[in-house]
Amino acid sequence: MLLEIDNVTLAYGRIQALHGISLTVGQGEVVALIGANGAGKSTTMRAISGLRPVSQGTIRFDGQDITKLRADLRVIRGVSQSPEGRGIFPGMTVRDNLEMGAYTRRNRSEIDEDLDRAFTLFPRLKEREKQPGGTLSGGEQQMLAVGRALMSRPKLLLLDEPSMGLAPMLIQQIFDIIVEINQQGTTVLLVEQNAQQALSRAHRAYVLETGRIVKEGTGAELLHDPAVKDAYLGVA
Amino acid sequence: MTTTTEKATWRSSGGVRGWFGRQPGWVRGIIVLVSAILAFLLPYAAEVPLIGPQIVTEGIDWPSALFNMSYYVLLALGLNVVVGYAGLLDLGYVGFFAVGAYGTALLTSPDSVLYADTGWKWLMAVPVALALTMVAGLILGWPTLRLRGDYLAIVTLGFAEIIRIFATSTTTLRGDRGFASIPHPPGMWNGKPIFGVTDAVPYFWLGLVVIILVILGVRNLDRSRVGRSWLAIREDEEAAEIMGVRTIKYKLWAFAIGAFIGGLGGVLFAGEQGFINSQTFVLQFSILVLAGVVMGGSGNMAGAILGGALISYIPDRLRGISLGDTDLYEYRFALFGLVIIIIMVLRPQGLIPSRRRAMELKDREKEVAPQ
Ligand SMILES: Nc1ncnc2c1ncn2[C@@H]1O[C@H](COP(=O)(O)OP(=O)(O)OP(=O)(O)O)[C@@H](O)[C@H]1O
Ligand SMILES: [Mg+2]
């Protein structure tokens, strides 16, 4: 297993956001994490990236315990996140945003290769290379956030709601790209409101409810689970 | 690489700054050099026909005004590192100025309890006093790093007050009585000391040299990995951390470097005045310097310099102007407030804005009021 989260508890002050969750992500998988607003999905991502200390439990990555590891060292080990709400740097150009994604790396020629790769994945970003990130449209910013997350050459890519605020056409496109990234060898943990898309594209998935994992299975299983259908797919 | 893209952005922008950015390297070099030389000639500004008498009015003791401007500019440059580059709102910045000045006083003045053991020359005290301000920067930085925005502002405000109260009420720091006979900087010329009591011009020149060194140092930092890290932290701290920026480390650096520069202002001040007491370091001073940084254009050194000089010069300029029976100097802070409000309404990003800052402001407005 590339990522193993075991019984992790996390609190913001007195608000307990995660009540002992366990999940795993295998090498080469796309795993989806779905759940209602406030269920703790983004919190789980923060715990994996090391932005918030966990109060109990362990996080293992690539065979090693990283529960107490500093966030920057996790990036170096191969964890990268595209945060909820994109979190791009508004005053930096598109190119500088991408360069920030490679902040922990030194090898110039490899970074240039990856810049090319990001621009191939997202040709729209190439056209806007010199434009400040803050002037991009919402969808373009989302592409930038995903592209930037790839710039650290992650083993595990954490995507927090990559389809948020995108037009239906673009949603298709961004999921296609996620699958493409995965096929190129990057493992993906995906948080989504768009459960339909997420479940149909993911190998496996977990359902999170108020800080607890209440269901897990393959994407197809959950897609046809009556309870999941009811709660997250808004049966049409 | 950051610098090349930055240049590209400048090139496409308008205004004086855009024009400057479009000039070839040697033209920019000459402009900078000429400005530096003109700065050294400022003491003779009154000799310039027409404009001179407008700048150097009757009421102003011009050499002293210049020296005051020089340490205000230093403070603005230092605060600009903390607020403008790293985005940490520090309202207690004058605290570091005080630590630098008191550090010097404690090590040199005959009034100091340490005098028997130290009683150093000014120059010897400088490095120690500066080290002390950096430590103070770290002490303030360490516990406050997890605070953001408003909270940080309140805590730093408290820090400056603590220092002031310490200075007022501890016997070691002597309150109002203060420290006298702080030695002046060294150096002789024609058998007379360069840094005397009557002429403030040499102090201004010394301040100018220090300012130039600070500008060069900060510029190099800004273009390095440190500057990139500060920028990322300021624009989005969580995103910066996700990229692998060691946010705590770089925020501490910003505090320490900012403190160091503020301390430089303090040691120069103590060396010129020869006397300091607890009245010297009032809170309004911190606010004034912050106003200067914001007014000039936060995140941009040219802006900080202009803003720092203006906050020191404007009140001086009001001296001796009377309207009817009232001397405008009496109302200097009210008028000054008015000037700041006008500038901020007309140019919210400051007189010499940083383009990036303008973008960030826009981004924040979007967050507050989504369309
Ligand atoms: N910084 C914070 N301080 C306090 N409480 C927080 C903080 N961040 C999140 N929470 C709380 O933790 C819980 C989980 O939040 P989280 O952001 O992980 O939800 P989520 O599943 O990502 O929701 P959404 O789908 O709306 O993004 C919520 O109850 C939220 O209010
Ligand atoms: Mg979320």
Side-chain angles (χ1 to χ4, degrees):
Chain A
M1 285 292 139
L2 185 63
L3 177 74
E4 293 167 80
I5 297 184
D6 188 29
N7 204 19
V8 159
T9 304
L10 191 153
Y12 296 103
R14 267 184 295 166
I15 304 166
Q16 183 107 7
L18 300 178
H19 302 267
I21 65 159
S22 302
L23 63 83
T24 59
V25 180
Q27 183 76 49
E29 276 189 312
V30 176
V31 173
L33 191 58
I34 61 172
N37 293 123
K41 305 179 298 294
S42 299
T43 304
T44 307
M45 296 300 223
R46 284 193 201 111
I48 301 170
S49 280
L51 302 180
R52 286 272 170 179
V54 306
S55 21
Q56 271 170 45
T58 56
I59 302 174
R60 292 176 69 77
F61 179 72
D62 215 5
Q64 275 166 327
D65 189 339
I66 59 162
T67 317
K68 298 234 150 62
L69 198 67
R70 253 176 18 218
D72 58 300
L73 297 175
R74 298 187 200 202
V75 178
I76 294 171
R77 297 258 178 111
V79 180
S80 183
Q81 187 184 159
S82 160
E84 183 174 22
R86 301 152 195 151
I88 57 137
F89 301 108
M92 295 190 202
T93 63
V94 166
R95 194 193 168 90
D96 284 349
N97 264 278
L98 291 172
E99 295 271 1
M100 273 310 295
Y103 180 86
T104 54
R105 297 171 55 196
R106 304 285 169 141
N107 186 325
R108 195 60 235 173
S109 62
E110 278 181 23
I111 294 175
D112 285 337
E113 263 168 45
D114 289 358
L115 267 175
D116 283 343
R117 173 169 171 236
F119 285 140
T120 319
L121 275 176
F122 302 103
R124 196 79 83 85
L125 296 183
K126 177 77 191 165
E127 292 162 29
R128 288 167 172 60
E129 191 179 339
K130 299 235 160 69
Q131 200 170 311
T135 62
L136 298 183
S137 79
E140 289 162 353
Q141 291 191 7
Q142 192 65 69
M143 296 175 196
L144 181 55
V146 175
R148 187 184 60 181
L150 284 173
M151 289 299 295
S152 65
R153 282 210 181 168
K155 291 183 183 141
L156 174 66
L157 178 62
L158 306 171
L159 298 173
D160 197 344
E161 305 208 24
S163 76
M164 185 160 64
L166 298 194
M169 256 256 305
L170 269 178
I171 295 185
Q172 283 292 341
Q173 216 179 327
I174 203 111
F175 277 101
D176 288 344
I177 288 172
I178 292 168
V179 169
E180 190 181 335
I181 291 167
N182 176 246
Q183 278 163 359
Q184 290 173 3
T186 309
T187 305
V188 177
L189 177 60
L190 174 70
V191 161
E192 260 304 327
Q193 288 293 345
N194 192 327
Q196 176 75 45
Q197 279 286 348
L199 293 178
S200 56
R201 307 280 187 140
H203 300 114
R204 288 189 309 114
Y206 293 86
V207 179
L208 199 58
E209 249 170 44
T210 55
R212 292 186 177 82
I213 303 256
V214 293
K215 254 194 182 73
E216 62 172 291
T218 65
E221 275 167 17
L222 291 183
L223 206 51
H224 298 107
D225 184 296
V228 173
K229 260 186 179 164
D230 218 34
Y232 304 107
L233 298 175
V235 188
Chain B
M1 107 257 78
T2 325
T3 41
T4 51
T5 39
E6 188 163 314
K7 256 183 233 152
T9 344
W10 280 14
R11 291 222 160 96
S12 56
S13 64
V16 178
R17 192 141 184 229
W19 176 85
F20 183 74
R22 278 190 299 276
Q23 302 311 305
W26 64 271
V27 175
R28 279 186 282 166
I30 289 178
I31 293 174
V32 168
L33 201 67
V34 169
S35 326
I37 293 172
L38 286 179
F40 276 97
L41 294 177
L42 271 175
Y44 309 107
E47 317 296 325
V48 180
L50 294 176
I51 346 168
Q54 290 309 310
I55 296 175
V56 189
T57 51
E58 294 286 318
I60 299 183
D61 171 7
W62 185 236
S64 297
L66 281 175
F67 173 71
N68 292 344
M69 275 190 254
S70 73
Y71 72 80
Y72 268 96
V73 165
L74 265 181
L75 290 178
L77 281 170
L79 187 60
N80 183 46
V81 169
V82 184
V83 178
Y85 288 168
L88 305 165
L89 187 53
D90 182 354
L91 290 184
Y93 190 66
V94 65
F96 300 124
F97 179 74
V99 172
Y102 272 104
T104 312
L106 277 171
L107 292 167
T108 60
S109 166
D111 294 332
S112 162
V113 287
L114 300 176
Y115 188 68
D117 301 313
T118 53
W120 293 352
K121 295 261 183 318
W122 181 81
L123 200 56
M124 262 170 83
V126 169
V128 181
L130 290 178
L132 206 64
T133 49
M134 279 183 96
V135 172
L138 294 177
I139 290 175
L140 173 65
W142 188 247
T144 53
L145 282 173
R146 279 173 192 81
L147 305 175
R148 284 175 199 187
D150 321 352
Y151 298 101
L152 180 65
I154 292 166
V155 173
T156 51
L157 200 69
F159 165 77
E161 273 305 276
I162 290 172
I163 295 210
R164 194 184 60 82
I165 290 167
F166 243 109
T168 314
S169 54
T170 59
T171 41
T172 324
L173 294 182
R174 299 177 54 85
D176 283 358
R177 285 172 303 152
F179 295 88
S181 311
I182 300 168
H184 298 298
M188 299 292 275
W189 178 260
N190 280 345
K192 275 187 293 183
I194 301 174
F195 297 96
V197 266
T198 46
D199 187 9
V201 170
Y203 294 97
F204 166 67
W205 281 331
L206 179 64
L208 211 50
V209 170
V210 174
I211 288 172
I212 288 171
L213 293 177
V214 165
I215 291 173
L216 292 176
V218 171
R219 198 177 84 127
N220 276 335
L221 270 179
D222 187 34
R223 294 185 168 184
S224 72
R225 193 174 174 77
V226 181
R228 220 168 135 223
S229 309
W230 282 339
L231 176 62
I233 291 171
R234 182 180 90 206
E235 296 211 333
D236 191 326
E237 189 167 341
E238 187 163 294
E241 202 169 352
I242 287 173
M243 300 301 111
V245 177
R246 294 183 62 182
T247 52
I248 296 204
K249 172 176 144 185
Y250 286 109
K251 288 202 295 188
L252 270 180
W253 264 113
F255 260 111
I257 290 168
F260 176 85
I261 299 172
L264 274 173
V267 297
L268 283 178
F269 181 81
E272 195 254 3
Q273 298 280 306
F275 172 78
I276 57 162
N277 70 5
S278 58
Q279 306 284 309
T280 322
F281 309 98
V282 286
L283 180 68
Q284 112 203 353
F285 199 32
S286 275
I287 312 279
L288 218 55
V289 176
L290 184 63
V293 172
V294 174
M295 186 168 82
S298 179
N300 174 21
M301 273 200 285
I305 294 167
L306 180 64
L310 281 180
I311 47 168
S312 167
Y313 175 72
I314 292 175
D316 271 341
R317 179 65 178 76
L318 295 172
R319 226 182 273 260
I321 304 178
S322 41
L323 210 66
D325 283 339
T326 49
D327 189 0
L328 286 188
Y329 187 71
E330 303 268 316
Y331 295 93
R332 61 190 182 281
F333 285 115
L335 286 170
F336 188 45
L338 203 65
V339 172
I340 293 182
I341 291 171
I342 293 171
I343 293 177
M344 292 323 282
V345 167
L346 297 179
R347 287 190 75 103
Q349 294 100 27
L351 293 169
I352 312 180
S354 136
R355 209 176 131 85
R356 281 214 186 95
R357 269 277 171 174
M359 220 35 246
E360 289 162 28
L361 274 178
K362 250 207 211 131
D363 199 62
R364 247 153 245 170
E365 267 165 25
K366 248 188 305 187
E367 265 169 38
V368 180
Q371 281 104 18

